[in-house]
Amino acid sequence: MFVGIDLAWNDRARTGLAALDDDGRLVASASVRSNTEIDTWLDRHTSDLPDVVAVDAPLIVTNPDGQRPCERMITAAFGRYDAGCHASNLSKPYFDPPRAQLLADRRGWNPDPGSNGPGVCLEVYPHPAMVGLFHLGRILPYKGKGGRTVEVRRAATLELLDRMEGLDQLEVVENERWLQLRRTADEASRPMHLDGIEDEIDAIFCAYLAWSWRHRREDLEVYGDTTSGYIVAPPPPTHPTTPRVPRPAPRASGDADHLSHVSVSFSVSGQPATFATAGERAWRDLVELAAVEAMGGRPTLRGRLSVHVDFVTAQRHGKHPGWDLDNLIKPTIDALTPVIGPREGQWTHAQPDDERVDEIIARKRPAEADEQPGARIVVSEMAAHMSGTTGHSPAMSWAGSGATTPR
């Protein structure tokens, strides 16, 4: 049995799971959240130690800050295809220790890629693996970030499914669960439809990498080592890249042409929390995780900044007082250090350089049926003629229901 896991860094986000038989055929796949759900699914579909497990998540992290050597190697080989790595280090509480390490320890898996016995657990990364195996000129933009529209993501998801169906060993075209995933992608009209399947699709691809590690070893190699961490991926590609298509800067409805073309946008899945409440720390961690992934190791934004946030809150029940918009904004902005950089000075904990934020546009609305709470965040560098070079006039606007849906 070969297992693929697209492991979320915490149990508030989705984790994709997939299992292939010894011939590489898809047996089962699912999307869950908690450790208990992960273990229950694994117990049901892998009675013994799997032959190989491929996990899309940091497995070995020992560096106190910065990137791991293996992340720098992957970025050097695949960065020009937009498949570089973000930084994993022990300064982040969710990597001390990594959830993947805890999972491997709990299941008795061996994180040494050189082992020939059962239960080998590999760290993999789908984006560079797809670039290498499918000879892509640039990554497929199926993830919910970077200001991508539903149409762009839907087309990229369908292309990925087509390419995976070309992997003969998977034999997915008659698999009922696979057909459900394809129908969902084909009929997707909102971001939530694609958000609900991308982790499971990644897990199936990871399971194929696990199978390839035993049966097509020449397709893969190890970047790094078991001391500082490693990632299993195809050899460095030599095929040409696809030119990047310029994208216009995001704008709020009715805005003037005051935003530059330098922006970062991403979605956060989880219940937004207000300032000075029990859920604030968890919400800030979710925002920071999503921001780190969206940046992908790129430098932080410069100059004066504009922040747009669309919150989707859980439905109110009973006497719940609801969520004040102004109190939702503060912990969200405080978690944007990966995008806007740290403030200079001596601090016990790193502080975001939010003095450079001159504009905040925020909205909130309750989640609709079957929609997950979360937020859509866009941070943009502002044009000099709007932000000014000497003094600033911060602008904050609020809107109630009727805001755009986070993507």
Side-chain angles (χ1 to χ4, degrees):
M1 185 68 70
F2 298 89
V3 173
I5 304 177
D6 182 38
L7 185 66
W9 294 346
N10 58 60
D11 60 8
R12 291 178 292 278
R14 286 187 179 89
T15 284
L17 299 165
L20 310 184
D21 65 19
D22 291 341
D23 293 322
R25 292 187 295 263
L26 178 63
V27 174
S29 63
S31 177
V32 302
R33 293 183 187 272
S34 70
N35 290 336
T36 298
E37 290 173 317
I38 292 172
D39 285 332
T40 298
W41 191 93
L42 290 170
D43 289 340
R44 180 182 304 124
H45 296 286
T46 60
S47 56
D48 300 316
L49 273 180
D51 192 350
V52 181
V53 180
V55 182
D56 177 16
L59 178 61
I60 298 172
V61 179
T62 60
N63 48 311
D65 51 34
Q67 284 190 310
R68 297 179 295 168
C70 62
E71 292 163 349
R72 294 195 292 272
M73 293 177 190
I74 290 290
T75 299
F78 295 91
R80 66 184 184 277
Y81 302 91
D82 288 347
C85 290
H86 50 70
S88 306
N89 58 65
L90 297 177
S91 72
K92 308 295 184 183
Y94 36 83
F95 291 140
D96 189 16
R99 192 183 186 195
Q101 176 188 322
L102 296 176
L103 173 61
D105 290 346
R106 189 168 72 245
R107 304 295 302 186
W109 297 338
N110 183 358
D112 182 0
S115 173
N116 292 318
V120 175
C121 184
L122 309 173
E123 179 180 337
V124 298
Y125 182 16
H127 273 320
M130 291 172 188
V131 166
L133 295 182
F134 298 145
H135 294 88
L136 301 176
R138 201 165 294 280
I139 62 170
L140 296 172
Y142 64 98
K143 296 285 188 179
K145 60 182 181 180
R148 298 163 182 164
T149 65
V150 175
E151 292 75 18
V152 167
R153 292 182 60 199
R154 175 179 170 277
T157 301
L158 291 172
E159 180 180 349
L160 174 58
L161 296 178
D162 288 343
R163 290 179 178 275
M164 290 175 65
E165 286 178 3
L167 302 171
D168 294 337
Q169 292 72 26
L170 285 177
E171 295 188 8
V172 291
V173 291
E174 295 183 359
N175 181 283
E176 181 56 36
R177 180 56 186 163
W178 179 268
L179 295 176
Q180 291 174 0
L181 295 173
R182 177 171 274 285
R183 282 194 296 270
T184 299
D186 192 49
E187 298 170 1
S189 59
R190 300 182 61 183
M192 60 181 286
H193 301 148
L194 297 171
D195 294 342
I197 62 173
E198 67 175 36
D199 304 294
E200 189 171 344
I201 294 170
D202 276 351
I204 296 171
F205 185 77
C206 289
Y208 175 77
L209 296 178
W211 181 88
S212 297
W213 185 248
R214 283 287 188 251
H215 297 282
R216 291 185 173 172
R217 181 68 66 90
E218 68 277 5
D219 289 346
L220 301 169
E221 64 180 61
V222 178
Y223 294 76
D225 53 50
T226 55
T227 300
S228 62
Y230 69 88
I231 297 172
V232 170
T238 58
H239 60 272
T241 61
T242 300
R244 185 178 286 107
V245 177
R247 197 169 52 237
R251 298 177 188 152
S253 177
D255 275 356
D257 293 339
H258 69 276
L259 297 182
S260 77
H261 288 272
V262 181
S263 65
V264 175
S265 56
F266 56 94
S267 297
V268 186
S269 178
Q271 173 54 49
T274 51
F275 174 66
T277 61
E280 179 188 1
R281 180 69 263 175
W283 172 245
R284 289 176 58 178
D285 285 348
L286 287 174
V287 174
E288 186 175 12
L289 281 169
V292 167
E293 182 177 357
M295 293 302 291
R298 291 175 293 166
T300 56
L301 299 190
R302 303 170 62 186
R304 313 309 298 180
L305 303 173
S306 169
V307 179
H308 295 197
V309 189
D310 287 328
F311 293 103
V312 176
T313 61
Q315 294 283 349
R316 294 173 56 182
H317 297 287
K319 297 182 179 180
H320 192 286
W323 294 270
D324 293 343
L325 185 56
D326 56 334
N327 287 328
L328 286 171
I329 293 170
K330 178 174 173 47
T332 303
I333 300 295
D334 285 347
L336 294 179
T337 301
V339 178
I340 67 178
R343 180 173 294 186
E344 294 183 1
Q346 299 297 319
W347 307 93
T348 304
H349 303 287
Q351 302 293 315
D353 193 11
D354 50 3
E355 183 279 329
R356 294 193 293 117
V357 176
D358 287 348
E359 177 181 76
I360 300 174
I361 297 176
R363 305 174 176 90
K364 70 172 183 179
R365 65 170 176 82
E368 299 176 6
D370 298 325
E371 184 181 17
Q372 294 296 324
R376 177 67 177 168
I377 302 171
V378 181
V379 185
S380 305
E381 294 180 2
M382 298 180 68
H385 72 275
M386 283 299 297
S387 62
T389 55
T390 57
H392 344 289
S393 298
M396 180 178 291
S397 62
W398 293 273
S401 61
T404 24
T405 305
R407 298 179 183 172

